Amino acid sequence: MIEAKDIKKIYPGIVPTVALDGVSFLIKEGEFVAIVGPSGSGKSTLMHIMGFLDRPTSGVYKFRGKSIDELDDDQLARIRNKEMGFVFQSFNLLPRTTVLDNVKLPLLYSGIAREQQDRMAREALKKVGLSHRLFHYPNQLSGGEQQRVAIARAIVNHPSVIFADEPTGNLDSKSGQQIMDILQNLNDQGHTIILVTHEKYTAQMAKRIIQLKDGRIVDDQIVAHRRLAKDGLIK
Amino acid sequence: MSILYSFKVAWVALKTNKVRSFLTILGIVIGIAAVVAMMSLGAGAQHLIVGQIMSMGSNNIFIEPGAFDPKKTSIMEARMEEAEIKTLKISDAQAIKNLPEIEEVAPFVIGVEKVIYKDVSKKVTFIGTTPAAHIIEATEVTLGRDFTEAEVKSQARVAVLGYKIAQDLFGNENPIGKIIRIKKTNFRVIGVLEERGTQTFMDLDEFVYVPVTTAQKLLLGIDHLKWIVAKAKSKDVIDEAVEDIRLLLRERHNIYNPTGDLTKDDFKVMSQVEAANILSSVMGVFTLFLSSIAAIALVVGGIGIMNIMLVSVTERTKEIGLRKAVGARKKDILYQFLIEAIVLTSVGGVVGIVLGILGSFFGSLVFGKMLYMQWKFFISLKAIVLGVGVAVVVGLVFGIYPARKASQLSPIEALRYE
Ligand SMILES: Nc1ncnc2c1ncn2[C@@H]1O[C@H](COP(=O)(O)OP(=O)(O)OP(=O)(O)O)[C@@H](O)[C@H]1O
Ligand SMILES: [Mg+2]
C-alpha cells in the first residue's frame, strides 16, 4: 500500500538541510507502524511526504501504486480527503471556529450530506471524549483537548490510513492510553496506522517500529511483545 | 462541492472573521460613497447653473466693456470686477435698440450702498437700469409699479425693491410711498418685485432698482455703463444681432477693426447660449475638482481593501494549507475566496451607493441653503459605475490573487507560511 524507495528530502537554504537521506520501506494495508527517533531526525518530514502533503526531493514514494507526480491536484485532494487522516504535530486547528466545525472540515469536501456530517463529527468527538466541548473555540481548550480535536478531525472521515504525528505528546498517561486505544481499535477494524512518537512505551503499542536517525532508517522491527492500550486502562 | 455549498463555507469564513470583513466593507463603502456623492453634487451644480441662465430667456445678448480676453471667460468675473473701461454709454444702448434684430435693451450700472429706513439699515446691491430690464428678465412688479422712461429721463429719486429687501426694511408695513435713504439721498419706494430666488450665486431678491440716470449721477458719479443686455427678436437672429452690435459699437467708438479681431474691441458681446456654455465649462472644472477628491477617496478605500486582504494572507494561507490537507481542491479554495470577495464588495457596494446618494441629497440641501439656490439633487450614474467598478476590481483582485497563489503551494508550504 505504501512504498518508499530511497527518499531524500533536502530543504534549500544557505546551508541546505538534509531532513531525509535515502529512506526505503514498504507498509502493507492493516499495519500499525510506529516511527521513532530523536528530535530533528526527519519523522515529521517523512509523515508529510507519506500523506501527499509534500514532495520528496528525490526517490519514489507511492501510495496504492501511485506517486504524487502521477496525480493531479484534484486527485490528490480526493485521496487526502477519502483515504488519509492527518494529525499534525502542531494541531493546526482553525481559529475562531468551533470544535464541531473544525472536526467537520474534511467532511465539507467529501460530498457527504449535511445532516450526516453533523452526526459523524459528533461521533468522532465522542470517541476522543470531547462531547462536552462541541461549541468551544480552540483558544478555550487545553493543549491536550486541542490535540484530541485534531485526532477527531483525522478520523471523522473513516480514512483507510491515519497519520498521527505525536498524538499523545501533550496528554497525561490516561488520556494518552485512551487515544492509543482508539487507534488500536481502528487498526483492528482494518485501518492502517502510522504513528510518530518519542515514547518507547507508546511505540510498543504498535505492531512494527521504524527507527530514524539523521534522516536514515537505523532499525525496522516487528514488536515482539505488543502492549494493548485497554490493559493499561483497566489498571 | 457545489457552488451553493461554497457559499456556505464562504459565509462561515466571513462570519468567523467579522472585524476583517467589516473593515473591508468599510473601505469599499468609503470609496464608492465618496465618488457617488461628489460626482452627483457636481453634476447637480452644473445642471442648476446652466438651467438658471437658460431660464432667463435664451434670446438675451450681453454687452460688457473691455476687450475679449481669452484668459478671462467668465461673465461673472467681469461683472464682479470694477470694470475700468468707461466707453460704454447710455447712448450706445439707445443705438443698439434701433437695430432691426433687437426688441428691447436695458443698460445697467451696479453698486453697493447702505439703505436706511427709520432705524433699520442694510447694505444692499443697487442696480441702475430702465423699465426694459424687467421686461428682459421677465420679472414682475407685484406691488406698486415700475419706474417709467420719463422717470429715467428726469433722474427721478424712486426705487423698486427686491422681495427680500422689502421685507427686511419694512416687515409687514406697506413700503409703497415710503422714503428710504441711499447715500444721503432720499428715494421714494414705488414698487416691490416678485420673489425671484438666486442665480449665479447672487440673491436677486436683495437688489434695489433705481433709474439708471439717477444711479449714475447721484449714487456712483459716473456717466458710463457696467453692462447692457439686449433681447433679440427671435432665436434665429441672435448671431446676426451679435455681429450687428459689434459693428455698431466699433463705429460709435471709432474702432478701426476690419478683420473683426475681438481683442481689439473695447467691449465684448456674448449671447446667452455662449454664456451658459462658458459657465457650464467652469462648472465642469468644479465637477472635475470634486471628482478628484472622490478619486482620492476611492484610492484610499482601495488601499484599505488591499491592506486588509494582504495582511490577512498569512493567516489565510495557513487556512488554505489546512483546507487542502483535509481534501479541498484548488477550485474549492478559489470558489470560497471568490464568493467571499463578491459578498464583501456587493454589500460594500450597495451600502456605498446608498450612502453616496444620501450624501449627495443632504449635500444639495446644505449647499442650496448656503448659496440660496435650488440646488438640484442629482444621481450620477457614471459615478456609480466608476465607484463600483473600481471597488469590485480591487476587491476581487486582492481577495482572490493571494488565495490563488496560496492554493498553488503544497499544503505543508502553506501551513508553514509566515
Ligand atoms: N521547511 C524547512 N526548512 C528547512 N529545514 C527544515 C524544514 N522543515 C524541517 N526542517 C529540518 O529538517 C529536519 C527534520 O525535521 P522534522 O520536523 O522532520 O523532525 P522531527 O523528527 O519531526 O523532529 P521532532 O521530534 O522534534 O518533531 C530538522 O533538522 C529541521 O530543522
Ligand atoms: Mg516532528
Side-chain angles (χ1 to χ4, degrees):
Chain A
M1 179 184 198
I2 284 174
E3 189 186 344
K5 210 167 169 193
D6 199 26
I7 288 184
K8 290 191 180 165
K9 180 74 185 179
I10 299 161
Y11 291 107
I14 307 164
V15 184
T17 315
V18 182
L20 292 175
D21 190 13
V23 175
S24 306
F25 55 83
L26 276 173
I27 296 175
K28 287 195 281 294
E29 191 122 32
E31 281 202 62
F32 191 148
V33 182
I35 298 173
V36 296
S39 179
S41 56
K43 307 183 295 289
S44 295
T45 304
L46 182 59
M47 291 280 270
H48 295 151
I49 289 171
M50 286 197 279
F52 278 159
L53 299 174
D54 209 354
R55 289 165 194 276
T57 312
S58 68
V60 180
Y61 170 71
K62 282 186 173 171
F63 181 83
R64 293 199 193 281
K66 297 266 189 205
S67 85
I68 193 165
D69 298 313
E70 293 170 52
L71 299 162
D72 66 24
D73 186 74
D74 286 7
Q75 289 169 318
L76 285 174
R78 205 182 150 72
I79 291 173
R80 284 196 289 259
N81 187 255
K82 300 276 178 202
E83 306 246 30
M84 299 172 170
F86 218 100
V87 183
F88 293 95
Q89 193 169 9
S90 47
F91 323 145
N92 289 324
L93 302 178
L94 281 183
R96 299 184 292 282
T97 304
T98 61
V99 164
L100 191 61
D101 283 338
N102 260 294
V103 173
K104 265 190 209 167
L105 199 63
L107 301 175
L108 293 189
Y109 302 103
S110 67
I112 291 170
R114 288 255 285 275
E115 314 75 60
Q116 209 176 335
Q117 288 182 11
D118 205 69
R119 204 177 46 71
M120 288 170 79
R122 282 168 192 267
E123 199 177 285
L125 280 162
K126 196 171 161 203
K127 276 192 192 153
V128 297
L130 278 181
S131 293
H132 59 304
R133 292 280 185 268
L134 297 184
F135 300 104
H136 277 57
Y137 293 101
N139 62 354
Q140 297 170 328
L141 299 177
S142 74
E145 284 170 332
Q146 291 180 33
Q147 193 153 35
R148 283 189 276 162
V149 176
I151 292 163
R153 186 178 60 195
I155 64 175
V156 72
N157 226 357
H158 305 304
S160 49
V161 190
I162 292 159
F163 299 97
D165 198 347
E166 302 272 13
T168 59
N170 285 288
L171 301 181
D172 59 87
S173 66
K174 185 164 169 264
S175 313
Q177 300 264 17
Q178 280 171 348
I179 295 302
M180 290 310 298
D181 187 41
I182 294 167
L183 292 178
Q184 283 186 335
N185 277 333
L186 287 167
N187 182 238
D188 290 344
Q189 289 159 27
H191 297 267
T192 309
I193 315 283
I194 320 282
L195 166 80
V196 166
T197 180
H198 62 271
E199 301 161 342
K200 260 217 159 67
Y201 181 82
T202 307
Q204 285 180 344
M205 294 185 189
K207 292 175 179 164
R208 173 181 167 190
I209 299 177
I210 294 177
Q211 203 171 341
L212 280 182
K213 193 168 184 262
D214 296 333
R216 291 168 191 269
I217 294 181
V218 291
D219 195 22
D220 185 349
Q221 278 190 343
I222 303 297
V223 178
H225 304 287
R226 189 179 181 218
R227 289 176 203 270
L228 289 181
K230 58 173 177 281
D231 294 346
L233 284 174
I234 293 160
K235 267 181 229 161
Chain B
M1 197 163 83
S2 70
I3 292 280
L4 204 75
Y5 209 84
S6 303
F7 231 102
K8 201 206 155 220
V9 172
W11 182 245
V12 169
L14 286 175
K15 273 202 309 196
T16 305
N17 303 292
K18 283 190 194 72
V19 175
R20 184 174 63 215
S21 305
F22 172 75
L23 288 177
T24 310
I25 289 177
L26 193 68
I28 296 169
V29 166
I30 290 173
I32 294 182
V35 171
V36 171
M38 293 295 167
M39 285 180 71
S40 297
L41 271 178
Q46 200 156 354
H47 203 83
L48 161 94
I49 291 197
V50 174
Q52 268 194 340
I53 289 208
M54 295 315 288
S55 75
M56 274 162 54
S58 54
N59 292 355
N60 290 357
I61 297 163
F62 297 94
I63 302 114
E64 293 171 354
F68 172 77
D69 180 349
K71 273 175 265 160
K72 263 190 227 159
T73 44
S74 155
I75 51 163
M76 270 159 57
E77 224 177 304
R79 227 189 256 182
M80 304 255 196
E81 280 171 16
E82 281 300 309
E84 272 311 307
I85 294 150
K86 300 177 177 172
T87 48
L88 210 57
K89 306 282 164 139
I90 290 188
S91 53
D92 290 330
Q94 281 155 355
I96 289 169
K97 191 168 177 192
N98 292 333
L99 287 172
E101 303 92 346
I102 300 301
E103 189 181 315
E104 273 297 349
V105 173
F108 288 91
V109 294
I110 192 166
V112 177
E113 274 300 338
K114 218 188 258 167
V115 174
I116 302 165
Y117 174 69
K118 286 184 180 166
D119 53 349
V120 189
S121 96
K122 211 171 173 313
K123 223 177 181 145
V124 297
T125 302
F126 65 85
I127 290 179
T129 183
T130 64
H134 297 142
I135 299 169
I136 287 171
E137 288 176 3
T139 43
E140 268 182 55
V141 179
T142 44
L143 195 63
R145 62 171 180 87
D146 204 350
F147 43 79
T148 61
E149 289 291 349
E151 282 167 324
V152 172
K153 272 215 175 73
S154 65
Q155 296 178 18
R157 296 170 193 185
V158 289
V160 174
L161 303 183
Y163 181 83
K164 208 149 154 197
I165 187 70
Q167 282 204 328
D168 288 349
L169 290 178
F170 295 97
N172 290 330
E173 233 179 298
N174 183 358
I176 305 300
K178 301 275 160 38
I179 302 297
I180 55 173
R181 273 182 88 76
I182 307 174
K183 206 177 175 189
K184 289 177 190 142
T185 309
N186 285 344
F187 282 80
R188 187 159 48 87
V189 178
I190 58 168
V192 176
L193 287 171
E194 64 178 323
E195 199 171 355
R196 295 169 68 194
T198 47
Q199 181 181 297
T200 56
F201 306 105
M202 285 181 289
D203 191 344
L204 300 177
D205 293 324
E206 296 213 311
F207 290 161
V208 171
Y209 290 85
V210 296
V212 60
T213 47
T214 320
Q216 281 181 322
K217 189 109 194 263
L218 295 174
L219 299 179
L220 295 164
I222 57 174
D223 70 344
H224 60 271
L225 297 175
K226 288 292 168 65
W227 75 92
I228 297 170
V229 178
K231 187 181 184 189
K233 282 188 175 138
S234 82
K235 256 200 177 72
D236 310 324
V237 297
I238 287 181
D239 291 344
E240 290 164 55
V242 166
E243 205 40 49
D244 280 351
I245 292 170
R246 285 189 181 130
L247 293 175
L248 177 73
L249 288 179
R250 276 175 205 148
E251 192 187 309
R252 292 180 59 83
H253 294 182
N254 294 321
I255 295 167
Y256 178 70
N257 186 2
T259 54
D261 179 358
L262 297 183
T263 57
K264 280 190 184 164
D265 295 339
D266 66 349
F267 57 85
K268 48 186 169 292
V269 183
M270 198 188 313
S271 71
Q272 182 103 55
V273 179
E274 287 174 285
N277 286 345
I278 286 167
L279 249 185
S280 153
S281 69
V282 171
M283 292 315 294
V285 173
F286 178 59
T287 309
L288 203 69
F289 167 71
L290 288 181
S291 306
S292 31
I293 294 179
I296 291 169
L298 201 56
V299 169
V300 170
I303 290 174
I305 302 168
M306 285 179 213
N307 214 11
I308 293 151
M309 297 243 172
L310 291 178
V311 162
S312 62
V313 159
T314 310
E315 187 188 305
R316 305 228 73 186
T317 300
K318 282 194 170 74
E319 179 190 327
I320 289 169
L322 182 68
R323 286 181 186 273
K324 283 193 75 176
V326 300
R329 294 165 301 173
K330 258 186 221 159
K331 227 189 311 185
D332 299 324
I333 303 287
L334 286 182
Y335 282 157
Q336 178 193 335
F337 278 73
L338 183 69
I339 292 168
E340 280 185 35
I342 288 174
V343 169
L344 290 179
T345 46
S346 43
V347 170
V350 169
V351 175
I353 290 171
V354 169
L355 281 185
I357 290 174
L358 283 180
S360 156
F361 178 69
F362 287 111
S364 64
L365 282 187
V366 169
F367 280 136
K369 274 259 152 55
M370 265 163 48
L371 302 170
Y372 306 108
M373 289 196 284
Q374 278 288 305
W375 195 293
K376 195 167 179 336
F377 165 56
F378 207 86
I379 297 173
S380 166
L381 265 183
K382 214 166 55 179
I384 292 179
V385 171
L386 178 77
V388 171
V390 171
V392 164
V393 168
V394 171
L396 290 188
V397 168
F398 286 88
I400 295 164
Y401 174 71
R404 206 184 113 79
K405 247 178 75 179
S407 75
Q408 280 161 348
L409 296 173
S410 80
I412 280 299
E413 281 173 313
L415 275 168
R416 287 251 174 88
Y417 187 86
E418 263 169 5

